[in-house]
Amino acid sequence: MSATLFDKLWDAHVVDSIDGTDVLYIDQHFIHEVTSPQAFDGLKTRGISVFRVEKTLGTADHNVPTINQHLPIKDPMSKAQVKKLSDNCAEFGVELYQLGHEKNGIVHIIGPELGVTKPGMTIVCGDSHTSTHGAFGSIAFGIGTSQVEQTLATQCILMNRPKTMRITIDGALAKGVFAKDIILYIIAKLTASGGTGYFIEYAGSAIRALSMEARMTVCNMSIEMGARGGMIAPDTVTFDYIYGRERAPKDKQWSDAVTYWSTLKSDEDAIFDREERFDAADIAPMVTYGTNPGMGIKIDAQIPEVLDVASFDKSLRYMNFHKGQSLIGHKIQHVFIGSCTNARIEDLRIVADYVKGRQKSKDVSVMIVPGSKQVEAQAKKEGLDKIFTDAGFQLREPGCSACLGMNEDKIPSGEYCISTSNRNFEGRQGPGARTILASPLMAAAAAVNGEIVDVRQLY
Amino acid sequence: MKKLTTIYSTAVPLPIEDVDTDQIIPARFLKALTRKGFGNNLFRDWRYYGDGNEVKDFVLNNDMYSGEILVAGNNFGCGSSREHAAWSLDDYGFRVVVSSFFADIFKANALNNGLLPIQLSKEELQKVFCAIEKNPKAEFAIDLEAQTFTIKDSESIFSFDIGSYKKMCLLKGYDDIDYLLSQRDKIEAFEKQQVIY
Ligand code: SF4
């Protein structure tokens, strides 16, 4: 019988079922400092060890400073949390890329970068953007701390099988339109809850044409429409990306792996619970104007005239925007280029390409935060750090940074930040902060101009 | 995990849609190392001004409303996977959240902590909001075994869905982890036949 890629992989990982709920085997578990301490405590209370330490990998990312990482963390609670992760990993024998380690970084950046993330796997992490790893043709999704504990204890979680949705995007993207715009466009079409209950497969020629890093950007934000995860069937782009990475299969194992990975696709006549189709030519550079990622518009469109919906009005009040308004020319005070959505080397190159020889506006502060130590090192190797410094951009050390108002990097109340991250919720970047989500090029252009511009005008 | 069988209570109305986990518990309060104490910061930035003073008209600060049931607008709990959202609702004293739609991860996290998410239709949810608006002390009855939600004043009875496994866990106070630990032999057998790269 024909099946979707998702169903094939899910079926291959079901250990058992109880009353319609599946015991799903997890091939790879990533952990970080925020959602793991209570899970390790659970193991201690039960007096049990980590069932498969070799399938568990830790990093410190959410709660770390992004300057002076060699100094002790100032905030005592952040410091205690990061230390707790080290202590727990040491006690249970879990491999950890601690703060300052040359391979430290945001969990969803380092997994793929190290070659840990591979096609056909089931991957979980106590973080909703685990969906990023689906770009490799794996089932990857975020879990809560109780499930982190389950995974540590048994390498399995209990879960009901989600429904499947295929989103097909055919055609070519216009200049100035990036993976970030594709996903913001999709979320704007389907709404912030439109994907709830589904696991998405992205398909079509526009998706195939994306680089591996761009595919990760798309899958990363699947959760922003409520979908548990998003995946893209692996192909030569995937294999080329993995080849030679530290944890990639080697020699004979490599060719066996590629042979197997090449079979990972939905059958021609597979039936999805839902199908959506979009035309790549219809996608423009996107910006959000509200307080959920579904509130996005094409840069040359106006904020919609939604009549008297309390939550919509509340959202616009928070952002201090009004119906019918265009965001072109809107002044911003901060630019944040970073997060697991857009802090890979390609993102930094896009920014550098544009800002080379230009200067940031004097009214804007710009933070550029690489996703990992390796991205940071690569940027320096390519001389991008110099371009950024010359432009007045501050290149910082890796971490989640201003993606979430948890560490030292926050946006002040009432001020606007154009951000390459994934969430524009109220207070996400700090209490009262006003977030506008966009692509790295949109962010870079706003940094230089001090206001939001349509990047298609740059060409 | 606490058992949950029946609940009789008044309810707190929060008729806002798309309440995300950053509102339920902002990231800066996720630094604790235990599951306790998150209730103090539940809905922190809606509940308090930056200077720590109460926002008088926010429902949790309004003496008119109380109870173990939170009734919220569509798409409750969207956003992050932080289980702290469920912990903070539970720690505050809620045992049930009612909405017309829940985000998946939130729903799973709630169920794993003995907090019951009850999904009603949009019309039913509207009736619940109306009942509270008419009488802030309106009482509601939840019977998990029968899967019913009753508005006592009007005797309207709504039924809700819950997976049979999770229902059993809540009724008996079982954790998933107890069940999974009992399955280790099967898990090891599964591993033996798995080919991985
Ligand atoms: S960068 Fe942001 S979204 Fe990504 S893992 Fe960190 S906090 Fe979560």
Side-chain angles (χ1 to χ4, degrees), chain A residues 82-391:
Chain A
V82 171
K83 177 164 187 305
K84 190 80 182 166
L85 178 70
S86 300
D87 292 350
N88 281 329
C89 286
E91 181 177 343
F92 287 89
V94 173
E95 189 176 10
L96 171 68
Y97 291 120
Q98 186 49 284
L99 181 61
H101 190 287
E102 60 178 15
K103 287 168 190 160
N104 170 262
I106 304 172
V107 60
H108 312 309
I109 305 251
I110 69 166
E113 181 176 84
L114 292 164
V116 174
T117 302
K118 288 183 273 284
M121 283 183 148
T122 46
I123 299 173
V124 296
C125 172
D127 186 283
S128 57
H129 294 97
T130 308
S131 58
T132 313
H133 308 261
F136 290 79
S138 54
I139 294 183
F141 54 88
I143 54 176
T145 298
S146 295
Q147 290 174 314
V148 171
E149 185 179 336
Q150 292 162 28
T151 311
L152 290 173
T154 67
Q155 207 59 34
C156 288
I157 60 166
L158 280 162
M159 201 163 141
N160 295 319
R161 179 192 296 249
K163 291 180 285 187
T164 54
M165 174 174 5
R166 177 162 57 192
I167 299 179
T168 307
I169 305 168
D170 283 316
L173 293 174
K175 243 183 155 14
V177 179
F178 298 89
K180 181 64 161 284
D181 301 305
I182 299 181
I183 191 66
L184 284 172
Y185 173 93
I186 295 173
I187 303 166
K189 290 276 184 195
L190 301 187
T191 79
S193 60
T196 307
Y198 291 94
F199 210 96
I200 297 171
E201 180 175 340
Y202 300 97
S205 59
I207 298 292
R208 287 275 146 243
L210 295 176
S211 71
M212 209 52 228
E213 297 196 353
R215 291 179 187 186
M216 287 187 244
T217 300
V218 172
C219 289
N220 172 276
M221 288 189 71
S222 305
I223 181 73
E224 305 310 336
M225 53 186 138
R228 203 63 192 267
M231 68 199 317
I232 295 171
D235 57 16
T236 50
V237 174
T238 324
F239 311 148
D240 290 349
Y241 177 93
I242 300 171
Y243 184 77
R245 290 188 186 263
E246 190 179 315
R247 310 282 172 99
K250 306 268 168 346
D251 308 322
K252 165 91 173 78
Q253 263 218 322
W254 171 257
S255 45
D256 289 352
V258 170
T259 307
Y260 166 62
W261 294 342
S262 305
T263 65
L264 299 177
K265 48 175 148 273
S266 293
D267 295 325
E268 292 274 327
D269 48 352
I271 296 175
F272 289 78
D273 296 306
R274 185 172 159 195
E275 295 257 17
E276 295 288 342
R277 282 182 175 279
F278 300 106
D279 178 2
D282 187 46
I283 305 176
M286 298 287 293
V287 280
T288 61
Y289 58 86
T291 55
N292 73 56
M295 301 174 82
I297 46 172
K298 295 180 187 175
I299 179 61
D300 53 354
Q302 280 84 42
I303 296 176
E305 306 268 355
V306 174
L307 293 179
D308 297 331
V309 174
S311 302
F312 187 82
D313 292 350
K314 177 175 181 297
S315 186
L316 290 193
R317 265 201 310 282
Y318 180 86
M319 292 300 291
N320 199 23
F321 287 149
H322 57 84
K323 295 168 189 174
Q325 184 176 349
S326 159
L327 295 199
I328 294 179
H330 188 79
K331 295 259 180 282
I332 43 110
Q333 290 76 45
H334 303 273
V335 176
F336 172 61
I337 296 167
S339 90
C340 56
T341 314
N342 281 124
R344 297 180 189 81
I345 191 67
E346 287 179 13
D347 300 310
L348 269 51
R349 286 182 192 139
I350 289 168
V351 173
D353 261 0
Y354 168 71
V355 301
K356 191 167 188 173
R358 292 190 166 91
Q359 278 286 317
K360 75 166 182 71
S361 153
K362 62 176 179 10
D363 305 322
V364 175
S365 78
V366 186
M367 253 196 271
I368 177 155
V369 185
S372 71
K373 282 305 246 189
Q374 295 204 68
V375 172
E376 184 190 359
Q378 184 63 28
K380 289 186 173 159
K381 202 168 131 196
E382 295 177 21
L384 308 188
D385 53 335
K386 173 110 187 18
I387 297 175
F388 296 140
T389 323
D390 288 350

Side-chain angles (χ1 to χ4, degrees), chain B residues 79-90:
Chain B
S80 102
S81 62
R82 62 186 71 160
E83 197 159 315
H84 313 66
W87 298 338
S88 58
L89 288 159
D90 172 73

